Amino acid sequence: MPANQILIFDTTLRDGEQVPGCKLNTKEKIELALALEDLGVDIIEAGFPVSSPGDFHSVEEIAKIIQRATVCGLSRAVKQDIESAGRALRHARHPRIHTGIGTSDSHIQSKFNASRQEILERAVQAVTWARNLVEDVEFYAEDAGRTDDAYLAEVVEAVIDAGASTVNIPDTTGYCLPHQYGEKIAYLVSQVPNIDKAVIACHCHNDLGLATANAISGVIQGARQVECTINGLGERAGNTSLEEVVMVIRQHRELGFFTGIKTQRLNPISRQVSEIMRMPVQPNKAIVGSNAFSHSSGIHQDGFLKDSQTYEIINPEEVGAEGSKIVLTARSGRSALAFRLQKIGYPFNRNDIDALYQRFLEIADSKKEVLEEDLHQLAKAYASTIIAV
């Protein structure tokens, strides 16, 4: 793996499926797993095998068909979980067991009623069990975002020694600010002696709307894997959005990173996930929302029509979107009206547009959007007045 490549770990089929109402059956999981591999995802977290017979079967079937990507199964730091994941992944060409335990004092005391030392020992034992089953083991330090840095470094060093090749540093509650999360990654890079033997992964939740910003901050400070989901699906307010992370990295070439994602597939797979998981994408969602490349303000429309880059930093075709849209509302100006009329066959001159514009505003004030049929009626009515004169 090149030093500047950012691995994309997709957990739509595991963390994304935890959204209420988004449960997937095996056929649906297989369909999306194949789409994710086609997208260029490096690691597909296919599920949590011990959680149910259905999920075990789904992970097992996905493991059989995926050719290039790593197939990953989640487990707790429990031997039964780890063995179940190992069995589900036995047919995978590139299997990974993702195991771990909570490391924050909140989790240690309230969830496990244990000591830091006991959690450290359980973490090492879990990685050891997993390493006996597969070569590729990822360890997650749940609630790392609120874990004491020195203790987190101690745990990370121990699990790498035990055989973990990836260490996941989750901001499980979405609590961290970008600089805080980045500083945590930087601390691990500088303070863990064997950190060069493992890939650091970011797994950020979006409770404060900072998941993508936190993940990028982690990458800047040394993380080389981002765990994310299509459309940002996930527990509570969701996870880091795959399409956002990929396009931040692609747009900001000065960062010096790249991913293997085929960006032209981003909008198609977004729609596919939305349909299969029955979860609409909010219109103003970055990259894949229906309004992501729409312009309705007259000032924006005028600038865009003169040079698209004045208001669009991404070419819609680059992410598989249908193209930019000039949406006509009461906030639209003459340039946009002329553009839309010309597109449907009415090449009016400037004087015509000036005459049409007041009538256009009357229509626009009466409805949310002026549609193509409204424009036809407007144009025909105006043409008839010219003929009459």
Side-chain angles (χ1 to χ4, degrees):
M1 156 184 176
N4 62 338
Q5 181 178 1
I6 306 303
L7 298 173
I8 299 298
F9 176 114
D10 184 274
T11 184
T12 303
L13 305 183
R14 199 277 299 171
D15 207 325
E17 193 199 26
Q18 292 172 199
V19 176
C22 287
K23 176 74 174 66
L24 299 169
N25 59 38
T26 297
K27 181 181 177 182
E28 291 167 333
K29 277 202 169 191
I30 289 173
E31 179 182 341
L32 289 180
L34 290 170
L36 289 167
E37 183 169 48
D38 182 58
L39 178 67
V41 163
D42 299 288
I43 304 102
I44 299 171
E45 188 164 50
F48 185 6
V50 81
S51 65
S52 73
D55 211 37
F56 180 96
H57 179 63
S58 293
V59 175
E60 186 176 41
E61 292 305 305
I62 290 169
K64 291 177 182 177
I65 63 171
I66 294 299
Q67 302 291 317
R68 180 196 57 79
T70 295
V71 179
C72 178
L74 184 74
S75 75
R76 296 166 297 180
V78 176
K79 191 174 186 181
Q80 179 185 356
D81 285 32
I82 295 166
E83 290 175 343
S84 178
R87 289 194 303 274
L89 294 167
R90 66 187 182 277
H91 299 296
R93 288 166 178 78
H94 309 288
R96 173 183 294 187
I97 293 177
H98 188 191
T99 190
I101 196 166
T103 55
S104 68
D105 287 336
S106 173
H107 280 234
I108 292 171
Q109 295 163 13
S110 302
K111 188 174 172 181
F112 299 112
N113 190 27
S115 67
R116 286 186 173 185
Q117 183 59 34
E118 289 170 326
I119 293 299
L120 178 62
E121 292 169 1
R122 288 183 62 179
V124 169
Q125 180 64 79
V127 171
T128 302
W129 282 329
R131 192 66 178 74
N132 288 334
L133 300 175
V134 296
E135 291 186 6
D136 186 356
V137 175
E138 177 173 345
F139 175 82
Y140 63 84
E142 189 176 8
D143 204 22
R146 296 188 296 173
T147 298
D148 172 71
D149 285 351
Y151 176 63
L152 181 62
E154 185 180 355
V155 172
V156 167
E157 180 181 359
V159 297
I160 293 174
D161 277 343
S165 50
T166 302
V167 286
N168 179 11
I169 312 301
D171 183 24
T172 306
T173 61
Y175 176 76
C176 289
L177 296 172
H179 77 275
Q180 294 171 329
Y181 188 76
E183 288 167 0
K184 189 173 289 286
I185 300 300
Y187 182 88
L188 296 176
V189 170
S190 65
Q191 298 299 316
V192 176
N194 57 359
I195 198 67
D196 60 308
K197 297 179 180 179
V199 171
I200 300 176
C202 304
H203 183 112
C204 300
H205 280 260
N206 205 39
D207 298 70
L208 293 175
L210 295 171
T212 297
N214 283 341
I216 294 299
S217 182
V219 165
I220 290 170
Q221 296 300 332
R224 290 296 177 266
Q225 177 177 296
V226 176
E227 310 203 348
C228 42
T229 61
I230 302 297
N231 300 333
L233 291 171
E235 283 276 354
R236 305 182 312 278
N239 285 300
T240 303
S241 168
L242 182 150
E243 57 273 9
E244 292 174 11
V245 164
V246 167
M247 292 312 294
V248 168
I249 290 171
R250 187 176 177 91
Q251 288 297 114
H252 285 274
R253 298 184 187 277
E254 75 277 7
L255 295 176
F257 303 120
F258 74 95
T259 74
I261 296 298
K262 302 169 189 171
T263 61
Q264 296 85 354
R265 295 289 305 148
L266 288 174
N267 267 266
I269 198 171
S270 167
R271 293 191 293 269
Q272 186 178 6
V273 168
S274 176
E275 181 179 341
I276 291 176
M277 300 185 86
R278 296 164 289 280
M279 182 59 61
V281 177
Q282 66 189 61
N284 63 322
K285 170 74 175 65
I287 316 301
V288 295
S290 60
N291 288 343
F293 300 99
S294 295
H295 306 271
S296 66
S297 160
I299 295 172
H300 286 227
Q301 290 170 335
D302 182 61
F304 170 80
L305 290 170
K306 290 172 179 173
D307 181 350
S308 63
Q309 293 186 7
T310 56
Y311 286 101
E312 278 187 3
I313 61 170
I314 298 171
N315 184 326
E317 286 73 24
E318 186 180 1
V319 294
E322 294 177 354
S324 304
K325 300 174 186 175
I326 296 293
V327 180
L328 295 179
T329 71
R331 306 287 84 79
S332 297
R334 290 171 174 78
S335 297
L337 177 60
F339 173 79
R340 285 288 303 276
L341 284 168
Q342 186 170 20
K343 281 194 71 174
I344 61 173
Y346 301 99
F348 291 122
N349 61 35
R350 184 165 183 171
N351 290 334
D352 292 329
I353 294 299
D354 285 341
L356 281 161
Y357 189 63
Q358 290 307 313
R359 176 55 187 150
F360 162 76
L361 288 179
E362 292 174 12
I363 298 171
D365 273 336
S366 68
K367 56 195 310 183
K368 292 182 182 295
E369 179 181 343
V370 178
L371 304 176
E372 187 171 307
E373 60 194 56
D374 300 315
L375 293 179
H376 280 297
Q377 292 175 11
L378 178 65
K380 289 175 182 176
Y382 176 72
S384 68
T385 63
I386 295 176
I387 295 171
V389 171

